[in-house]
Short mmCIF file of all heavy atoms in Angstrom, two decimals:
data_model
loop_
_atom_site.label_atom_id
_atom_site.label_comp_id
_atom_site.label_asym_id
_atom_site.label_seq_id
_atom_site.Cartn_x
_atom_site.Cartn_y
_atom_site.Cartn_z
N PHE H 17 -66.72 -10.65 -24.94
CA PHE H 17 -66.72 -9.19 -24.84
C PHE H 17 -68.06 -8.58 -25.23
O PHE H 17 -68.48 -7.56 -24.68
CB PHE H 17 -65.57 -8.58 -25.61
CG PHE H 17 -64.27 -8.52 -24.83
CD1 PHE H 17 -63.30 -9.47 -24.95
CD2 PHE H 17 -64.08 -7.46 -23.93
CE1 PHE H 17 -62.13 -9.42 -24.21
CE2 PHE H 17 -62.92 -7.38 -23.17
CZ PHE H 17 -61.95 -8.35 -23.32
N LEU H 18 -68.70 -9.19 -26.24
CA LEU H 18 -70.03 -8.71 -26.62
C LEU H 18 -71.03 -8.91 -25.48
O LEU H 18 -71.86 -8.04 -25.20
CB LEU H 18 -70.52 -9.42 -27.89
CG LEU H 18 -69.84 -8.98 -29.19
CD1 LEU H 18 -70.24 -9.94 -30.35
CD2 LEU H 18 -70.23 -7.54 -29.55
N ASN H 19 -70.93 -10.05 -24.81
CA ASN H 19 -71.79 -10.27 -23.61
C ASN H 19 -71.51 -9.24 -22.54
O ASN H 19 -72.45 -8.71 -21.93
CB ASN H 19 -71.53 -11.67 -23.05
CG ASN H 19 -72.02 -12.80 -23.93
OD1 ASN H 19 -72.89 -12.60 -24.77
ND2 ASN H 19 -71.48 -13.97 -23.74
N PHE H 20 -70.24 -8.94 -22.34
CA PHE H 20 -69.83 -7.96 -21.34
C PHE H 20 -70.38 -6.58 -21.72
O PHE H 20 -70.91 -5.84 -20.87
CB PHE H 20 -68.30 -7.93 -21.28
CG PHE H 20 -67.75 -7.21 -20.07
CD1 PHE H 20 -68.55 -6.68 -19.08
CD2 PHE H 20 -66.35 -7.05 -19.95
CE1 PHE H 20 -68.02 -6.03 -17.98
CE2 PHE H 20 -65.81 -6.40 -18.85
CZ PHE H 20 -66.64 -5.88 -17.86
N LEU H 21 -70.32 -6.26 -23.01
CA LEU H 21 -70.82 -4.97 -23.49
C LEU H 21 -72.34 -4.86 -23.24
O LEU H 21 -72.83 -3.83 -22.78
CB LEU H 21 -70.51 -4.79 -24.97
CG LEU H 21 -71.11 -3.53 -25.64
CD1 LEU H 21 -70.60 -2.26 -24.98
CD2 LEU H 21 -70.77 -3.55 -27.14
N ILE H 22 -73.07 -5.90 -23.58
CA ILE H 22 -74.53 -5.89 -23.40
C ILE H 22 -74.89 -5.77 -21.91
O ILE H 22 -75.80 -5.00 -21.53
CB ILE H 22 -75.17 -7.16 -24.01
CG1 ILE H 22 -75.03 -7.10 -25.53
CG2 ILE H 22 -76.64 -7.29 -23.60
CD1 ILE H 22 -75.36 -8.38 -26.26
N ALA H 23 -74.17 -6.51 -21.04
CA ALA H 23 -74.41 -6.40 -19.61
C ALA H 23 -74.11 -4.97 -19.11
O ALA H 23 -74.87 -4.42 -18.31
CB ALA H 23 -73.52 -7.39 -18.85
N SER H 24 -73.06 -4.36 -19.66
CA SER H 24 -72.69 -2.98 -19.27
C SER H 24 -73.71 -1.98 -19.79
O SER H 24 -74.02 -0.99 -19.10
CB SER H 24 -71.30 -2.65 -19.82
OG SER H 24 -70.32 -3.51 -19.27
N LEU H 25 -74.23 -2.21 -20.99
CA LEU H 25 -75.28 -1.33 -21.51
C LEU H 25 -76.55 -1.41 -20.64
O LEU H 25 -77.24 -0.41 -20.42
CB LEU H 25 -75.60 -1.69 -22.95
CG LEU H 25 -74.57 -1.26 -24.00
CD1 LEU H 25 -74.84 -1.91 -25.35
CD2 LEU H 25 -74.54 0.26 -24.15
N MET H 26 -76.85 -2.63 -20.17
CA MET H 26 -77.99 -2.77 -19.27
C MET H 26 -77.74 -1.99 -17.97
O MET H 26 -78.63 -1.34 -17.42
CB MET H 26 -78.21 -4.25 -18.93
CG MET H 26 -78.76 -5.07 -20.10
SD MET H 26 -78.87 -6.84 -19.67
CE MET H 26 -79.61 -7.51 -21.17
N GLY H 27 -76.49 -2.09 -17.47
CA GLY H 27 -76.13 -1.32 -16.26
C GLY H 27 -76.24 0.16 -16.49
O GLY H 27 -76.73 0.90 -15.63
N LEU H 28 -75.81 0.63 -17.69
CA LEU H 28 -75.90 2.04 -18.02
C LEU H 28 -77.34 2.48 -18.11
O LEU H 28 -77.70 3.58 -17.67
CB LEU H 28 -75.18 2.30 -19.35
CG LEU H 28 -74.97 3.75 -19.75
CD1 LEU H 28 -74.06 4.47 -18.77
CD2 LEU H 28 -74.41 3.84 -21.16
N LEU H 29 -78.19 1.61 -18.66
CA LEU H 29 -79.60 1.94 -18.75
C LEU H 29 -80.24 2.06 -17.38
O LEU H 29 -81.12 2.90 -17.16
CB LEU H 29 -80.33 0.84 -19.57
CG LEU H 29 -81.81 1.09 -19.88
CD1 LEU H 29 -82.03 2.43 -20.58
CD2 LEU H 29 -82.37 -0.06 -20.73
N MET H 30 -79.77 1.24 -16.43
CA MET H 30 -80.28 1.34 -15.07
C MET H 30 -79.86 2.66 -14.44
O MET H 30 -80.62 3.26 -13.67
CB MET H 30 -79.78 0.17 -14.21
CG MET H 30 -80.45 -1.17 -14.58
SD MET H 30 -80.06 -2.47 -13.40
CE MET H 30 -78.35 -2.75 -13.72
N ARG H 31 -78.64 3.13 -14.74
CA ARG H 31 -78.19 4.44 -14.26
C ARG H 31 -79.04 5.53 -14.88
O ARG H 31 -79.43 6.50 -14.23
CB ARG H 31 -76.73 4.69 -14.62
CG ARG H 31 -75.74 3.62 -14.20
CD ARG H 31 -75.63 3.47 -12.73
NE ARG H 31 -74.49 2.63 -12.34
CZ ARG H 31 -74.39 1.98 -11.22
NH1 ARG H 31 -75.33 2.12 -10.31
NH2 ARG H 31 -73.31 1.24 -10.94
N PHE H 32 -79.36 5.37 -16.18
CA PHE H 32 -80.15 6.35 -16.88
C PHE H 32 -81.58 6.44 -16.31
O PHE H 32 -82.16 7.52 -16.28
CB PHE H 32 -80.23 5.95 -18.37
CG PHE H 32 -80.99 6.92 -19.24
CD1 PHE H 32 -80.39 8.08 -19.73
CD2 PHE H 32 -82.31 6.67 -19.60
CE1 PHE H 32 -81.10 8.95 -20.53
CE2 PHE H 32 -83.03 7.54 -20.39
CZ PHE H 32 -82.42 8.69 -20.87
N TYR H 33 -82.06 5.30 -15.84
CA TYR H 33 -83.41 5.21 -15.28
C TYR H 33 -83.59 6.17 -14.11
O TYR H 33 -84.68 6.75 -13.93
CB TYR H 33 -83.67 3.77 -14.84
CG TYR H 33 -85.06 3.52 -14.34
CD1 TYR H 33 -86.09 3.13 -15.18
CD2 TYR H 33 -85.36 3.63 -12.97
CE1 TYR H 33 -87.36 2.87 -14.72
CE2 TYR H 33 -86.63 3.37 -12.48
CZ TYR H 33 -87.64 3.00 -13.38
OH TYR H 33 -88.90 2.76 -12.91
N TYR H 34 -82.53 6.36 -13.31
CA TYR H 34 -82.63 7.27 -12.16
C TYR H 34 -82.65 8.74 -12.58
O TYR H 34 -83.14 9.59 -11.87
CB TYR H 34 -81.46 7.03 -11.20
CG TYR H 34 -81.69 5.82 -10.31
CD1 TYR H 34 -81.11 4.59 -10.62
CD2 TYR H 34 -82.46 5.92 -9.18
CE1 TYR H 34 -81.30 3.48 -9.81
CE2 TYR H 34 -82.66 4.83 -8.35
CZ TYR H 34 -82.10 3.62 -8.68
OH TYR H 34 -82.31 2.52 -7.86
N LEU H 35 -82.09 9.01 -13.76
CA LEU H 35 -82.08 10.39 -14.27
C LEU H 35 -83.39 10.70 -15.00
O LEU H 35 -83.98 11.75 -14.83
CB LEU H 35 -80.88 10.60 -15.20
CG LEU H 35 -79.50 10.54 -14.57
CD1 LEU H 35 -78.40 10.55 -15.65
CD2 LEU H 35 -79.30 11.70 -13.62
N PHE H 36 -83.82 9.73 -15.84
CA PHE H 36 -85.02 9.92 -16.66
C PHE H 36 -85.80 8.61 -16.64
O PHE H 36 -85.58 7.74 -17.49
CB PHE H 36 -84.67 10.30 -18.09
CG PHE H 36 -83.80 11.51 -18.19
CD1 PHE H 36 -82.43 11.40 -18.39
CD2 PHE H 36 -84.34 12.80 -18.07
CE1 PHE H 36 -81.63 12.51 -18.49
CE2 PHE H 36 -83.53 13.92 -18.16
CZ PHE H 36 -82.18 13.80 -18.37
N PRO H 37 -86.67 8.41 -15.66
CA PRO H 37 -87.43 7.16 -15.56
C PRO H 37 -88.18 6.83 -16.85
O PRO H 37 -88.85 7.67 -17.45
CB PRO H 37 -88.42 7.46 -14.42
CG PRO H 37 -87.75 8.52 -13.60
CD PRO H 37 -87.01 9.37 -14.59
N VAL H 38 -88.01 5.57 -17.28
CA VAL H 38 -88.63 5.10 -18.52
C VAL H 38 -89.81 4.19 -18.12
O VAL H 38 -89.59 3.17 -17.43
CB VAL H 38 -87.63 4.35 -19.41
CG1 VAL H 38 -88.33 3.90 -20.69
CG2 VAL H 38 -86.45 5.24 -19.72
N LYS H 39 -91.02 4.53 -18.54
CA LYS H 39 -92.21 3.82 -18.11
C LYS H 39 -92.20 2.35 -18.49
O LYS H 39 -92.69 1.49 -17.76
CB LYS H 39 -93.44 4.50 -18.68
CG LYS H 39 -93.73 5.89 -18.12
CD LYS H 39 -94.99 6.49 -18.70
CE LYS H 39 -95.26 7.88 -18.14
NZ LYS H 39 -96.48 8.47 -18.73
N HIS H 40 -91.71 2.05 -19.68
CA HIS H 40 -91.85 0.68 -20.20
C HIS H 40 -90.68 -0.24 -19.78
O HIS H 40 -90.58 -1.38 -20.29
CB HIS H 40 -91.94 0.71 -21.72
CG HIS H 40 -93.11 1.54 -22.21
ND1 HIS H 40 -94.41 1.16 -21.98
CD2 HIS H 40 -93.16 2.73 -22.88
CE1 HIS H 40 -95.24 2.08 -22.51
NE2 HIS H 40 -94.50 3.03 -23.05
#
Side-chain angles (χ1 to χ4, degrees):
F17 272 98
L18 286 171
N19 290 339
F20 195 3
L21 175 60
I22 291 169
S24 298
L25 285 169
M26 290 176 177
L28 189 64
L29 185 56
M30 288 190 292
R31 307 296 191 201
F32 182 81
Y33 184 89
Y34 280 98
L35 294 172
F36 305 100
V38 182
K39 293 182 180 179
H40 301 294

